[in-house]
């Protein structure tokens, strides 16, 4: 199947700092990527849809000024958690659609805010 | 956000047993997907279903797209220890990349050797 990577896999930061997470489609181009958040023992909750060359579409209740998304190329989307606080600690997962109408997920990024 | 109802919430079985889990929705979906997630990893696609009534197999896994388009089930036959993980269903209303997935609440599977 298609490969989606995320970097970093783990990040620990101090409260008030900003953290950038990258999502890359390695062997295909993706005009649309999605960002999810998953709390322990819970399901994936969609945060936003990232569209190449245009603004992201955020789900209800997700602060767009706090979770900045940039889809600068057909293989890269970034999620920046600004002024992170302990309640932002979570597992962040991205996904990307292939040209064959299949959605593949990245391995996730564990964010811990101290 | 919306979630699909998935049952059972967890299952603890012996190696070799068959497993069945299902997912229901109050609204119609045009695509049903089943994923498996290992701890600390992203979900991995197991089976995709695109047509009502469709029955699809992938090795020991079989999934069906319900006739009403409001449900789906996943069966695992002759379970083995590496089947351990969390299984999620996901539904999609429209086709194509702009249509987001709605995930189920997940089924935790534990297999005792």
């Amino acid at each position: 199947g298609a490969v989606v990577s995320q970097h970093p896999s783990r990040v620990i930061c101090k409260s008030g700092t900003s953290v950038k997470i990258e999502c890359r489609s390695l062997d295909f181009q993706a005009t649309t990527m999605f960002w999810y958040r998953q709390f322990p023992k819970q399901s994936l909750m969609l945060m936003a849809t990232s569209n190449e060359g245009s603004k992201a579409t955020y789900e209800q209740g997700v602060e767009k000024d706090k979770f900045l998304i940039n889809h600068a190329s057909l293989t890269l989307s970034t999620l920046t958690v600004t002024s992170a606080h302990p309640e932002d600690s979570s597992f962040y997962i991205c996904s990307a659609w292939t040209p064959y109408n299949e959605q593949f997920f990245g391995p996730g990024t564990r964010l811990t805010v101290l | 956000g919306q979630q699909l109802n998935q049952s059972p919430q967890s299952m603890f079985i012996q190696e070799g047993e068959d497993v069945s889990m299902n997912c229901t929705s109050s609204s119609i979906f045009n695509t049903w997907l089943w994923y498996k997630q290992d701890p600390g990893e992203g979900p991995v696609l197991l089976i995709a279903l695109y047509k009502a009534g469709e029955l699809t197999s992938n090795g020991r896994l079989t999934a069906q797209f319900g006739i009403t388009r409001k449900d789906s089930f996943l069966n695992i036959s002759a379970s083995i220890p590496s089947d351990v993980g969390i299984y999620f269903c996901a539904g999609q209303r429209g086709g194509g990349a702009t249509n987001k997935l709605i995930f189920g609440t997940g089924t935790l599977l534990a297999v005792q050797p």
Side-chain angles (χ1 to χ4, degrees), chain A residues 31-32 34 36 38 41-46 49 51 59 91 93 97-98 100-108 110, chain B residues 1-3 33 35 37 40-45 50 86 88 92 95-101 103-106:
Chain A
T31 55
T32 302
F34 297 90
Y36 296 83
Q38 185 178 32
K41 298 185 180 180
Q42 293 189 22
S43 187
L44 285 76
M45 297 302 293
L46 180 65
T49 303
N51 303 300
E59 294 300 297
F91 194 50
I93 309 173
W97 280 98
T98 73
Y100 307 103
N101 201 30
E102 292 176 316
Q103 185 170 160
F104 287 89
F105 287 82
R110 172 76 57 196
Chain B
Q2 182 187 359
Q3 283 189 318
L33 302 156
Y35 290 88
Q37 185 179 28
E41 301 284 336
V44 173
L45 180 65
Y50 301 106
I86 303 177
F88 290 103
Q92 186 188 26
T98 57
N99 289 281
K100 54 194 179 186
L101 295 181
F103 276 85
T105 47

Side-chain angles (χ1 to χ4, degrees), chain A residues 33-110:
Chain A
M33 293 182 176
F34 297 90
W35 285 97
Y36 296 83
R37 182 166 52 182
Q38 185 178 32
F39 292 107
K41 298 185 180 180
Q42 293 189 22
S43 187
L44 285 76
M45 297 302 293
L46 180 65
M47 299 175 66
T49 303
S50 173
N51 303 300
E52 188 268 335
S54 64
K55 289 183 180 179
T57 304
Y58 290 82
E59 294 300 297
Q60 193 171 11
V62 178
E63 300 174 60
K64 61 181 181 182
D65 294 330
K66 181 166 186 64
F67 298 100
L68 301 179
I69 291 172
N70 185 4
H71 196 147
S73 77
L74 287 171
T75 59
L76 173 64
S77 175
T78 60
L79 169 68
T80 301
V81 183
T82 62
S83 186
H85 287 93
E87 58 266 29
D88 298 323
S89 298
S90 189
F91 194 50
Y92 292 86
I93 309 173
C94 71
S95 70
W97 280 98
T98 73
Y100 307 103
N101 201 30
E102 292 176 316
Q103 185 170 160
F104 287 89
F105 287 82
T109 296
R110 172 76 57 196

Side-chain angles (χ1 to χ4, degrees), chain B residues 32-74:
Chain B
W32 283 94
L33 302 156
W34 285 92
Y35 290 88
K36 177 176 183 254
Q37 185 179 28
D38 291 329
E41 301 284 336
V44 173
L45 180 65
L46 299 174
I47 293 180
L49 303 158
Y50 301 106
K51 211 162 62 169
E54 179 181 351
L55 184 71
T56 298
S57 293
N58 178 7
R60 293 178 297 106
L61 278 61
T62 301
Q64 184 157 30
F65 191 143
I67 291 291
T68 64
R69 293 198 280 158
K70 293 183 179 180
D71 61 347
S72 177
F73 74 75
L74 174 71

Side-chain angles (χ1 to χ4, degrees), chain B residues 3-21:
Chain B
Q3 283 189 318
L4 303 176
N5 296 316
Q6 197 171 333
S7 65
Q9 190 173 17
S10 59
M11 302 180 76
F12 299 89
I13 62 171
Q14 295 285 122
E15 183 176 1
E17 288 184 23
D18 296 344
V19 170
S20 185
M21 59 190 78

Side-chain angles (χ1 to χ4, degrees), chain A residues 15-28:
Chain A
S15 187
T17 60
S18 294
V19 173
K20 181 187 282 189
I21 303 170
E22 293 185 348
C23 177
R24 292 183 186 272
S25 55
L26 297 186
D27 49 0
F28 64 98

Side-chain angles (χ1 to χ4, degrees), chain B residues 81-93:
Chain B
S82 61
D83 290 334
V84 165
I86 303 177
Y87 291 79
F88 290 103
C89 63
Q92 186 188 26
R93 291 206 168 83

